[in-house]
Amino acid sequence: MSVSADAACTAASADIAAPLAVLGRDVTVPLVTGGEVTYAALDYAASAPALQRVWDDVAAYAPYYGSVHRGAGYLSQLSTDLFENSRRTVAEFLDCREGDQVVFTRSTTDSLNLLAAVLPADCEVFVFETEHHASLLPWRDAQVTYLNAPRTPGEAVATLERALADRAAQATDTAPALVCVTGASNVTGELWPVRELAAAAHAHGARIVLDAAQLAPHHPVSVQDLDVDWVAFSGHKLYAPFGSGVLAGRADWLTEAEPYLAGGGASRKVARRTDGGVDVEWHTTPARHEAGSPNVIGVYSIASACKALTEAGFESLVEREQYLIGKVRDGLAAVPEVKVLSLFGDDAPRVGVISFVVEGWNSSHFAAALSAEYGIGVRDGLFCAHPLVRTLLGSDPQTQGECGAPEAAPGEKSLNAIRVSFGAGTPDEHVERFVSAVTELVRDGARWNYRTEDGRCVPDTTTA
């Protein structure tokens, strides 16, 4: 699924495909030290920039925007066709099975909350504590078993198998079960053994949903090859930032449950009863869970991104990303004060998401300096994966660092982390500038004073 970082590093830059065109690639930002610099967007794991292709497609459609599934007019019919064709494009992108449904949502979080809302009665959910909160939290109304953080992919599979075997030994009936797992960590970038976990789940009569928010932008995702029951992802991480997401997979639980949202579009027929009540016949198609006027622009942007990534070829995209991963990892390894966070170890295959801490630095302070003094956008904190980051850091959830002061003295544990992430639109220069900036900050310190404002570390504009 990926090449090794060492192999990628040995490739000459001239042999690597050029980055895909994205919006914002020429945007300049001011520096507190004076002047401007081209912005280096290295926070793809939070929201990736829009592909130029996506923006152009949306702009071309915008004059023809109309109501979906609602009108007889030409623009309404055109918009409805665009919407449903987008559904087919996403199904092809995910290599869905015949009979699978593609439901459009607002995001990965919304998709997994939808699935949580349609779980059959008495369904037990198994989820690793290492999940993003979008995967960790929606199941609070179900019976949930939280699995400890594994330290190898094999341990992850063995942990799940033990938990499912224990469930089978204790079960007195055939209550359904669901496993939820990420495809690629939003903290470490490491790939999870999805196919093996799916096999373990199915061997014990459970189903599995894949959180592909961090996987789909970097690798092909095949529902059939991975043998997952559902997959969820967000448009804004797939270079389509217009507020839409996807839940795709088996139709039975979706069609047997009450609609996620009740309203127009979800209902096929509504009639008043003689006793004053209302009878409703709900759709059995994906519309059942798409009540309200759909976000046709967001949906079309996802379809456009799916086409663009497919046409670009994931093989070349993966090759380029592994080359960039190698440059970043080699650069950080050359700074002794930097510790890269990893669950499965340095040799684990990964996507372009790398989190680290810097000895003696407050992570918010370091990230603020990267932005204010170098024009580099990264992320700091716990990345909506608090249990995982605290496990990796060994930090106390009750403690918090103060901006401008060392977060942890040498030898002490850090409280938060810094995350750099990149993808198909990242040029070499951005990661090279990032590595150089990290080296300079550790060696020379920040050139500006910083203070805490609303819980964030920001440049102090009153003093230099």
Side-chain angles (χ1 to χ4, degrees):
M1 199 175 207
S2 64
V3 297
S4 69
D6 290 342
C9 286
T10 61
S13 178
D15 297 331
I16 302 297
L20 300 185
V22 294
L23 294 185
R25 57 191 178 278
D26 299 322
V27 168
T28 60
V29 294
L31 303 180
V32 292
T33 51
E36 293 187 342
V37 67
T38 302
Y39 183 65
L42 297 177
D43 194 15
Y44 275 48
S47 285
L51 287 172
Q52 185 68 53
R53 156 75 175 273
V54 170
W55 186 260
D56 291 343
D57 283 350
V58 168
Y61 160 67
Y64 300 93
Y65 170 82
S67 61
V68 176
H69 300 149
R70 299 293 194 273
Y74 179 81
L75 298 190
S76 292
Q77 293 297 306
L78 186 149
S79 295
T80 297
D81 287 345
L82 190 78
F83 187 81
E84 293 304 332
N85 284 334
S86 295
R87 200 188 304 277
R88 286 186 282 273
T89 296
V90 172
E92 292 173 1
F93 180 75
L94 296 173
D95 189 26
C96 288
R97 298 164 294 252
E98 185 177 355
D100 281 350
Q101 289 190 351
V102 173
V103 179
F104 290 117
T105 65
R106 294 178 298 174
S107 60
T108 307
T109 301
D110 196 33
S111 295
L112 293 173
N113 274 273
L114 189 165
L115 188 59
V118 305
L119 293 179
D122 302 323
C123 184
E124 184 173 359
V125 177
F126 294 83
V127 57
F128 287 93
E129 66 176 355
T130 46
E131 293 291 313
H132 184 280
H133 293 171
S135 302
L136 192 70
L137 302 181
W139 324 105
R140 56 189 179 275
D141 292 333
Q143 180 183 349
V144 186
T145 297
Y146 295 103
L147 306 175
N148 293 334
R151 287 297 181 167
T152 67
E155 184 182 341
V157 177
T159 297
L160 178 62
E161 287 180 332
R162 284 195 300 270
L164 292 173
D166 290 344
R167 168 185 175 271
Q170 299 170 9
T172 57
D173 53 28
T174 56
L178 177 71
V179 176
C180 181
V181 68
T182 189
S185 171
N186 77 304
V187 177
T188 67
E190 293 164 318
L191 300 179
W192 276 64
V194 177
R195 188 179 295 104
E196 292 80 2
L197 290 168
H202 294 153
H204 290 86
R207 296 190 180 189
I208 185 168
V209 56
L210 169 64
D211 175 352
Q214 299 295 341
L215 183 63
H218 303 275
H219 284 278
V221 175
S222 169
V223 168
Q224 297 193 68
D225 181 54
L226 296 173
D227 197 21
V228 294
D229 297 281
W230 292 277
V231 60
F233 70 87
S234 297
H236 72 99
K237 298 184 191 298
L238 196 78
Y239 311 99
F242 292 94
S244 281
V246 169
L247 176 68
R250 301 197 182 278
D252 53 351
W253 287 7
L254 294 170
T255 56
E256 291 166 4
E258 290 293 299
Y260 179 49
L261 297 173
S267 55
R268 187 198 304 270
K269 183 189 300 182
V270 179
R272 288 292 301 274
R273 298 196 304 264
T274 56
D275 63 3
V278 175
D279 285 325
V280 183
E281 180 183 338
W282 303 108
H283 278 294
T284 57
T285 64
R288 185 183 188 90
H289 298 290
E290 295 175 345
S293 295
N295 179 2
V296 60
I297 286 180
V299 165
Y300 182 45
S301 71
I302 289 180
S304 174
C306 290
K307 289 181 179 179
L309 293 174
T310 300
E311 292 169 5
F314 269 107
E315 183 176 347
S316 63
L317 295 177
V318 169
E319 181 184 19
R320 172 170 181 77
E321 185 170 308
Q322 293 302 315
Y323 167 71
L324 296 179
I325 290 172
K327 290 175 74 74
V328 173
R329 286 174 61 83
D330 286 350
L332 294 180
V335 183
E337 293 84 354
V338 171
K339 177 189 176 184
V340 173
L341 305 183
S342 178
L343 194 63
F344 296 154
D346 290 341
D347 296 332
R350 66 194 71 228
V351 300
V353 179
I354 299 170
S355 296
F356 63 98
V357 292
V358 182
E359 185 177 22
W361 275 84
N362 175 289
S363 293
S364 179
H365 186 192
F366 199 89
L370 285 174
S371 175
E373 300 178 28
Y374 297 91
I376 298 171
V378 297
R379 187 152 183 160
D380 67 277
L382 300 174
F383 319 126
C384 292
H386 295 186
L388 171 57
V389 178
R390 288 178 177 136
T391 293
L392 295 173
L393 297 179
S395 62
D396 183 346
Q398 304 304 319
T399 57
Q400 182 176 349
E402 289 296 327
C403 174
E407 181 183 44
E412 293 184 352
K413 296 174 181 177
S414 297
L415 308 177
N416 296 304
I418 306 150
R419 184 181 70 189
V420 56
S421 54
F422 40 88
T426 304
D428 291 19
E429 186 274 332
H430 287 187
V431 299
E432 290 165 356
R433 185 169 10 134
F434 166 77
V435 170
S436 177
V438 169
T439 303
E440 288 183 12
L441 279 173
V442 173
R443 183 188 64 214
D444 304 329
R447 292 171 288 171
W448 202 264
N449 293 326
Y450 295 81
R451 59 185 174 81
T452 300
E453 182 178 290
D454 297 328
R456 295 289 308 164
C457 192
V458 298
D460 189 342
T461 56
T462 62
T463 59

